[in-house]
Amino acid sequence: MNGGFHTDNGTVIIDNKVIARMAGLSALECFGIVGMAALSRSDGLVKLLTRNSITKGVKVDTDDNNNVTIDFHVIIAYGVAISAVADNLISNVKYIIENATGFKVKRINIFVEGVRVID
């Protein structure tokens, strides 16, 4: 389901894919996030997604009251505190989504799918 709101001039609908792209791009800016992850259905392995397919690692649900729930599947950098990365990701994404859309971020779930050493 997509969220939206009414104005004097009509209705604005924001597709969940747009919110997922915004959330994914803001997550990539966070320290310790290597990228979004996708689970391969054929072999069960996790792969790092490119910037163009970032929305495959982000799932967005919007309810009737424009409350947003976002699930992230991420790969983090080796040696960073997962809790610090998660706190940073949550605050950055919440700020970006709420200010850009006017929707309320109800919940952000982070699934760490892997760890990668960065050169």
Side-chain angles (χ1 to χ4, degrees):
M1 181 174 173
N2 299 315
F5 53 90
H6 302 285
T7 68
D8 292 339
N9 297 322
T11 302
V12 177
I13 303 294
I14 302 175
D15 193 289
N16 284 346
K17 292 177 190 171
V18 173
I19 296 172
R21 178 112 179 122
M22 289 172 29
L25 290 173
S26 64
L28 286 180
E29 295 175 0
C30 296
F31 174 78
I33 298 291
V34 175
M36 297 298 123
L39 185 65
S40 173
R41 297 199 194 287
S42 59
D43 55 16
L45 297 175
V46 173
K47 71 175 189 172
L48 182 64
L49 297 171
T50 64
R51 205 167 177 87
N52 293 334
S53 59
I54 195 170
T55 57
K56 292 180 182 174
V58 182
K59 180 179 178 254
V60 174
D61 289 318
T62 309
D63 67 15
D64 292 335
N65 298 320
N66 292 332
N67 293 314
V68 179
T69 300
I70 306 170
D71 292 342
F72 286 98
H73 296 269
V74 298
I75 296 175
I76 62 166
Y78 176 77
V80 297
I82 294 173
S83 61
V85 172
D87 288 342
N88 187 20
L89 186 148
I90 290 168
S91 64
N92 285 351
V93 169
K94 184 175 179 175
Y95 176 80
I96 294 290
I97 299 302
E98 288 184 347
N99 286 312
T101 65
F103 297 173
K104 177 80 172 136
V105 175
K106 182 172 76 172
R107 183 178 198 91
I108 295 178
N109 300 309
I110 302 169
F111 301 92
V112 179
E113 302 292 350
V115 177
R116 182 163 288 187
V117 176
I118 298 186
D119 299 331

